[in-house]
Amino acid sequence: MDRNGLEKQCLEVRRLIVKSVYEAGSGHPGGSLSGVELLTTLFENFLKFDPKNPKSDSRDYFILSKGHCAPLLYSIMAFKGYFPVEELKTLRKLGSRLQGHPDALKLPGIEVSTGSLGQGFGVAAGIALSLKIDKKVNKVYALLGDGELQEGTVWETAMAASHFKLDNFCAVIDSNKFQIDGSVETVMGVEPIKQKFESFGWECVQINGHDLKQVDEAYQAFLSHKSGKPFLIVADTLKGKGVSFMENTEKFHGKAPSPEEFEKAMIELGEKAL
Amino acid sequence: MIKKAMREAYGLKLVELGQKNQTIVVLDADLSGSTKTNLFQKQFPDRHFNMGIAECNMLLFASGMSIAGKTVFASSFAMFAAGRAWEIVRNTIAHDKLNVKIVATHAGISVGEDGGSHQANEDIAIMRAIPNMRVLCPADAYETGQIIEYASETEGPFYIRLTRDSSPVFLEERKTVFNPEKALVLEEGKEICIISTGLMTYTALMVQELLKSKNIFASVIHLSSIKPLDEKTLLQSVQKAKLVVVCEEHSIIGGLGSAVAECLSEKSPKKITRIGIPDVFGQSGKSDELFDYYGININKIVEKIEKIF
Ligand SMILES: Cc1ncc(C[n+]2csc(CCOP(=O)(O)OP(=O)(O)O)c2C)c(N)n1
Ligand SMILES: [Mg+2]
């Protein structure tokens, strides 16, 4: 998909995120909105997958390590044909395949259930190791939050991924500078992320995670790198990107918009409310 | 009846205790707005430490601070405080009898929409299995205050289990006094003995009333201390009962139902029915829908009792 198409698609994804969280009455819009360009680009132009055959041997693996941003993943999966867009209305409701956090047993296309932070990253590295010993060319991608980096196992995984030279593994940090209790810096500083991972033996690039050109180049760089190291994309982003009152705050980390806020958000996203 | 969340009472009690007791420090793991330790943080910013999303490290710091003389309260969601950090709780906090009070909120399926990954239905089981650990599960916000105060004054490790939702504050009018050695006999009735913990005790009282209207008479015993277990009151209360019903918002494996069954099968065998979450993972849904789905609301419990009694 070209840049123009991607731009439109990202806007669509943002609308679906806000709509589905609003319909659900709860959920996590902030970190979903910050990752839109990162994940839309990945699914449109890089990740190999077949919604009709989600367990295909030739697929690349994507793992949403920050599982609370399920509305982001579900919105993109709906567009890609894993399930009807209509089904997004069932998010977080009793009996739905669209659980509050991704559930691998309920929804085809989810590689592993996530929601407990830090775990998806390690699982992704395990998949990468397995592919590697089988000499397969499939790639593994994981999306993490910046607050998530505070979990200790993240650094165990970082160490092991470099130890095992998992150059088929690309981790993306959605560095939106906020977590639940406030800014990452005030809660428990994680910077400098790039230098930390570099010292752990990773190949790293730092980009603006809303600049589609930079996002595209970062994934290209992963696919062409020959360093033999695992690859990290540190993406500077805005939490809540696209909805003015959700931007740059922890307030909409885990809260649905009110009816008035919803109306306002949809107007900002270029669509009149339902 | 007024409703209030237990975690709200926890935060308020911490503020009150913080005034009196300078050794109290509070640790949290990026959930202070949800666990309500942020109330303490506002009053005593120098004695509140946000450890970030790092529950294991939080409990290691808690251990260290308790060794250096602090009375430590450490909070997160039950899933992460009990689940993620279990082995640290076992080998360091409980083994060395450290003065660490783990106050876990958002236990059970009442977490609702977040779904199975966040619904701790096994925490009582895994905490109860650890030597030296006291496991307390208040019935409402009123009893939560008493239990937090008791824990602050009692040396050693505690696991205190709280829930997310506002729930009826019903023990206040009964002026109950928390005593870990004394279960609360809330209602007396010969035929059935209902034993419950946590927010299910209010449900148990409603069940008792409904049964009474059908001429079935039940006693209701509230056990907020699952460990240690007040076996004396338990054995006395079940003496004449034809059926023992145990209610908890927890897996039927390893929780209060198991504790009661262990005690009674050795000392006074009885027919027991365990009301709790079956051996499955939870899922997203509204809290009341999930209570119905898993058969642990008033009507479903009465239905089940009528069927077997
Ligand atoms: C192990 C674990 N601890 C705590 C939580 C609760 N929690 C959910 S989201 C979140 C903050 C995440 O912040 P960040 O990683 O920066 O995500 P983003 O900003 O992208 O939403 C926390 C603490 C969790 N899901 N898992
Ligand atoms: Mg963040």
Side-chain angles (χ1 to χ4, degrees):
Chain A
M1 190 180 267
D2 66 9
R3 199 138 309 144
N4 214 349
L6 275 178
E7 229 163 74
K8 284 197 190 119
Q9 183 76 342
C10 287
L11 194 59
E12 275 298 317
V13 171
R14 289 206 155 84
R15 289 182 192 129
L16 282 187
I17 289 169
V18 174
K19 269 188 196 167
S20 56
V21 172
Y22 176 67
E23 288 264 351
S26 67
H28 299 81
S32 293
L33 290 168
S34 59
V36 170
E37 283 79 8
L38 296 168
L39 213 57
T40 305
T41 302
L42 180 66
F43 271 72
E44 289 297 343
N45 289 352
F46 293 94
L47 195 75
K48 295 199 184 90
F49 61 92
D50 177 6
K52 301 280 164 298
N53 183 13
K55 294 272 183 208
S56 150
D57 277 345
S58 60
R59 76 190 187 274
D60 292 334
Y61 293 74
F62 170 73
I63 286 172
L64 183 69
S65 194
K66 51 167 193 156
H68 60 281
C69 297
L72 166 62
L73 178 58
Y74 295 157
S75 297
I76 294 174
M77 287 176 78
F79 273 127
K80 298 314 291 178
Y82 281 95
F83 53 84
V85 173
E86 273 296 291
E87 197 171 335
L88 287 170
K89 287 200 176 125
T90 68
L91 173 67
R92 294 182 152 246
K93 294 190 175 137
L94 187 65
S96 172
R97 299 194 289 175
L98 309 183
Q99 292 287 295
H101 296 78
D103 187 322
L105 295 186
K106 291 202 159 80
L107 187 64
I110 301 297
E111 303 286 358
V112 66
S113 303
T114 52
S116 181
L117 292 168
Q119 298 192 19
F121 183 44
V123 175
I127 294 171
L129 178 58
S130 175
L131 292 168
K132 203 162 184 58
I133 60 176
D134 290 345
K135 305 206 165 29
K136 291 203 172 139
V137 296
N138 320 40
K139 307 291 180 215
V140 183
Y141 297 87
L143 182 65
L144 286 78
D146 47 358
E148 184 176 7
L149 300 179
Q150 292 154 355
E151 280 291 352
T153 62
V154 165
W155 302 97
E156 299 173 29
T157 298
M159 198 184 315
S162 121
H163 180 84
F164 292 121
K165 304 189 173 50
L166 302 181
D167 57 357
N168 54 348
F169 182 26
C170 175
V172 183
I173 312 294
D174 182 354
S175 182
N176 59 25
K177 318 295 183 281
F178 284 90
Q179 51 192 106
I180 293 186
D181 275 345
S183 76
V184 175
E185 192 185 328
T186 53
V187 173
M188 181 58 64
V190 295
E191 292 293 348
I193 298 172
K194 183 165 172 271
Q195 283 90 327
K196 280 193 173 108
F197 273 85
E198 275 168 351
S199 74
F200 271 66
W202 286 57
E203 177 86 13
C204 305
V205 296
Q206 184 145 10
I207 60 163
N208 173 344
H210 299 308
D211 182 326
L212 288 168
K213 182 162 175 282
Q214 291 187 34
V215 173
D216 181 82
E217 285 167 358
Y219 287 124
Q220 297 282 6
F222 161 60
L223 290 176
S224 58
H225 87 297
K226 299 260 178 312
S227 64
K229 299 173 173 180
F231 197 88
L232 185 79
I233 301 173
V234 185
D236 291 311
T237 56
L238 263 185
K239 193 147 182 163
K241 167 79 174 173
V243 178
S244 59
F245 56 91
M246 294 187 182
E247 282 182 2
N248 242 332
T249 173
E250 73 278 12
K251 293 210 174 66
F252 282 90
H253 168 83
K255 196 177 78 160
S258 67
E260 299 75 44
E261 289 165 340
F262 174 65
E263 183 110 7
K264 214 174 142 212
M266 293 317 283
I267 289 167
E268 286 187 22
L269 293 172
E271 186 178 315
K272 279 204 76 69
L274 301 173
Chain B
M1 174 127 10
I2 58 159
K3 281 184 157 191
K4 191 169 161 184
M6 298 176 196
R7 57 197 169 109
E8 193 76 38
Y10 166 50
L12 292 171
K13 181 54 88 172
L14 277 181
V15 172
E16 181 194 320
L17 295 172
Q19 235 102 38
K20 292 187 273 194
N21 183 344
Q22 299 301 314
T23 74
I24 290 180
V25 295
V26 178
L27 274 56
D28 205 297
D30 194 32
L31 289 168
S32 69
S34 300
T35 63
K36 295 296 167 205
T37 70
N38 66 344
L39 300 176
F40 183 90
Q41 191 211 2
K42 284 192 192 102
Q43 287 290 317
F44 309 104
D46 298 342
R47 287 195 273 147
H48 183 280
F49 301 90
N50 199 326
M51 303 303 297
I53 313 167
E55 298 78 12
C56 294
N57 193 42
M58 171 177 77
L59 289 173
L60 293 171
F61 265 67
S63 304
M65 293 183 90
S66 75
I67 290 170
K70 301 291 186 290
T71 302
V72 187
F73 283 84
S75 286
S76 178
F77 288 174
M79 182 57 71
F80 311 123
R84 186 130 179 153
W86 185 83
E87 192 260 352
I88 289 165
V89 175
R90 179 198 184 271
N91 271 333
T92 300
I93 294 174
H95 182 275
D96 287 5
K97 300 189 186 174
L98 299 180
N99 202 21
V100 176
K101 328 298 173 187
I102 302 166
V103 182
T105 66
H106 295 64
I109 54 167
S110 51
V111 162
E113 291 84 349
D114 270 350
S117 63
H118 283 56
Q119 293 163 356
N121 296 328
E122 310 84 4
D123 56 325
I124 295 176
I126 59 177
M127 284 294 144
R128 191 169 77 85
I130 305 177
N132 300 336
M133 188 53 95
R134 272 165 283 208
V135 180
L136 305 178
C137 207
D140 66 2
Y142 169 76
E143 193 181 36
T144 300
Q146 294 185 349
I147 283 181
I148 296 300
E149 185 152 356
Y150 170 79
S152 78
E153 290 163 352
T154 310
E155 189 71 22
F158 279 80
Y159 181 75
I160 299 170
R161 181 191 214 235
L162 310 180
T163 40
R164 180 189 79 165
D165 290 351
S166 288
S167 55
V169 186
F170 64 101
L171 288 182
E172 189 154 25
E173 64 194 26
R174 292 173 182 255
K175 296 198 171 53
T176 57
V177 177
F178 171 74
N179 176 350
E181 276 140 47
K182 208 86 208 78
L184 292 175
V185 181
L186 295 177
E187 293 295 334
E188 310 221 38
K190 278 204 290 287
E191 297 167 309
I192 294 178
C193 179
I194 307 176
I195 299 163
S196 65
T197 193
L199 48 71
M200 289 301 287
T201 294
Y202 185 72
T203 303
L205 286 172
M206 300 294 108
V207 167
Q208 182 264 348
E209 243 173 56
L210 197 54
L211 288 174
K212 197 156 93 185
S213 72
K214 298 171 185 241
N215 280 320
I216 303 173
F217 298 94
S219 56
V220 176
I221 317 296
H222 170 57
L223 274 165
S224 46
S225 177
I226 295 171
K227 188 180 175 181
L229 191 71
D230 173 11
E231 295 196 349
K232 205 170 135 211
T233 304
L234 191 60
L235 290 166
Q236 270 165 9
S237 311
V238 302
Q239 232 172 34
K240 298 209 181 74
K242 295 190 204 97
L243 175 68
V244 175
V245 179
V246 189
C247 299
E248 61 193 318
E249 189 201 359
H250 183 275
S251 169
I252 52 165
I253 297 178
L256 179 65
S258 297
V260 168
E262 286 156 16
C263 169
L264 296 189
S265 61
E266 279 189 352
K267 297 181 178 153
S268 174
K270 286 276 168 193
K271 182 168 177 194
I272 299 176
T273 291
R274 292 168 302 160
I275 306 281
I277 317 297
D279 184 21
V280 294
F281 289 101
Q283 60 178 314
S284 293
K286 289 204 174 68
S287 172
D288 55 343
E289 291 171 346
L290 293 172
F291 275 73
D292 185 64
Y293 184 90
Y294 292 113
I296 62 171
N297 63 9
I298 300 165
N299 289 336
K300 289 278 167 75
I301 295 173
V302 169
E303 232 171 74
K304 182 159 183 193
I305 290 176
E306 282 186 309
K307 214 174 279 169
I308 52 179
F309 184 65

